[in-house]
Amino acid sequence: MRRNLTAYGFLCAALFCFAVFAWYPMIREFILSFQKTNLIGSPQWVGLDNFTAVVQDPAFGQAWLNTAEFTVLALLCGYAVPFVVALVLNELRHARAYLRFVVYLPVMLPPIVAVLLFKWFFDPGPGLFNQILDFFHLPGLAWLDSSATALISLVIVSTWMNMGSATLIYLAALQNIPPELYEAAELDGAGILKRIRHVTIPQTRLILLLMLMLQIVATMQVFIEPYMLTGGGPENATVTVAYLMYQYAFVYGQNYGAGGALGMMLMIVLLAFAAFQLRLTREDKS
């Protein structure tokens, strides 16, 4: 009993933080989704009216479509690119520690700093990206001011900001693969692509599934990039579900109930993805 009490004592700080900053907001949001309130006066219970109002909003479908498109594009870049970078780093014999630091460096920057840095990169005048295009005698792009390139620009920012953590996780998984498997594959005449297909991917399957789930959950909650770079524009091309929640609560007349209702919808979708991932992981272990 004394040993358990000591363990629970060390856990108290973490449990307190989870309770105050995670569990309580989730419960509060669930309650808000059925209320009409400005958080000052007495709340009024409205049942499912908030959900009905959110669904009938013309921006509702566009927000989900933008979020789904952002998630797919971010998975193509943010899920595949770190794995490829980890494969390259794992094969290097020199400057590996330095390159790992370089890859992880963007994660150490505050998100706002990284976003503001890319805001200058995307500037249609003196921005770095258009300067590079001009160097190759290519026409510049209105990166954040065009509905054709705005969402892709956000994907570039998100990939650069979060690639470091995923790369190090993949690299750790790669270094745990027994080298005897690669040696056996080489003796059988397998090239690098076949070794990746028949050795690397099967040996890192659980990590790949876990990172896929984490990527989906993270990208579907994207907020900082559209908030800081585009404000949901142009023409609602970058309005995401999380950003629409913010607009309901702090822009559209403090409609906290509608924001809570949209948050509950997003949570249900993410729970469905989580349940699917757990099922895949359980089947893989069995």
Side-chain angles (χ1 to χ4, degrees):
M1 181 178 294
R2 183 182 303 172
R3 182 174 63 251
N4 291 338
L5 288 177
T6 303
Y8 291 137
F10 281 109
L11 287 173
C12 280
L15 293 175
F16 176 78
C17 290
F18 273 109
V20 173
F21 299 108
W23 301 329
Y24 173 74
M26 291 173 61
I27 297 172
R28 191 75 179 94
E29 182 184 33
F30 176 77
I31 297 174
L32 280 175
S33 64
F34 299 100
Q35 293 180 337
K36 181 178 181 181
T37 178
N38 58 4
L39 300 182
I40 298 176
S42 299
Q44 177 184 355
W45 291 90
V46 294
L48 298 176
D49 290 353
N50 289 324
F51 293 89
T52 303
V54 168
V55 173
Q56 293 176 349
D57 187 346
F60 176 80
Q62 185 65 41
W64 280 102
L65 181 62
N66 292 339
T67 302
E69 185 177 353
F70 179 90
T71 300
V72 172
L73 292 174
L75 286 177
L76 293 176
C77 298
Y79 185 64
V81 172
F83 187 69
V84 174
V85 173
L87 288 173
V88 174
L89 291 178
N90 193 51
E91 294 296 326
L92 293 177
R93 294 296 178 266
H94 303 285
R96 180 186 295 179
Y98 171 74
L99 292 175
R100 280 186 296 186
F101 169 75
V102 171
V103 170
Y104 191 75
L105 183 60
V107 182
M108 301 169 62
L109 293 176
I112 298 299
V113 174
V115 170
L116 291 178
L117 178 65
F118 270 86
K119 191 172 184 178
W120 175 75
F121 287 168
F122 289 131
D123 191 293
L128 177 63
F129 291 157
N130 276 352
Q131 292 294 327
I132 294 175
L133 293 177
D134 182 69
F135 177 80
F136 290 102
H137 304 287
L138 297 174
L141 297 175
W143 295 93
L144 300 176
D145 300 325
S146 172
S147 57
T149 57
L151 197 63
I152 298 176
S153 301
L154 300 188
V155 172
I156 294 174
V157 178
S158 178
T159 301
W160 186 83
M161 289 170 53
N162 302 298
M163 185 178 68
S165 298
T167 300
L168 291 188
I169 293 174
Y170 288 139
L171 187 59
L174 292 174
Q175 292 177 349
N176 285 328
I177 299 177
E180 296 82 5
L181 297 178
Y182 289 112
E183 293 174 1
E186 290 179 1
L187 291 176
D188 290 338
I192 184 171
L193 294 180
K194 287 187 177 181
R195 293 200 300 269
I196 293 174
R197 178 183 176 185
H198 296 289
V199 178
T200 304
I201 293 180
Q203 290 295 315
T204 58
R205 178 178 174 83
L206 289 178
I207 295 296
L208 291 173
L209 289 175
L210 175 62
M211 293 303 295
L212 176 63
M213 184 62 238
L214 294 178
Q215 287 276 353
I216 292 175
V217 171
T219 53
M220 290 195 70
Q221 299 180 81
V222 58
F223 171 75
I224 295 178
E225 291 87 344
Y227 175 72
M228 292 295 299
L229 292 176
T230 62
E235 300 176 357
N236 289 336
T238 57
V239 172
T240 62
V241 175
Y243 185 73
L244 187 60
M245 290 168 53
Y246 161 80
Q247 288 184 311
Y248 280 137
F250 301 103
V251 179
Y252 299 155
Q254 296 182 334
N255 194 347
Y256 298 105
L262 186 57
M264 290 301 301
M265 295 179 188
L266 179 61
M267 186 177 71
I268 292 173
V269 172
L270 296 180
L271 285 175
F273 277 114
F276 178 69
Q277 188 269 341
L278 289 175
R279 181 176 179 181
L280 287 179
T281 304
R282 190 177 299 112
E283 290 178 354
D284 188 81
K285 289 182 178 180
S286 61

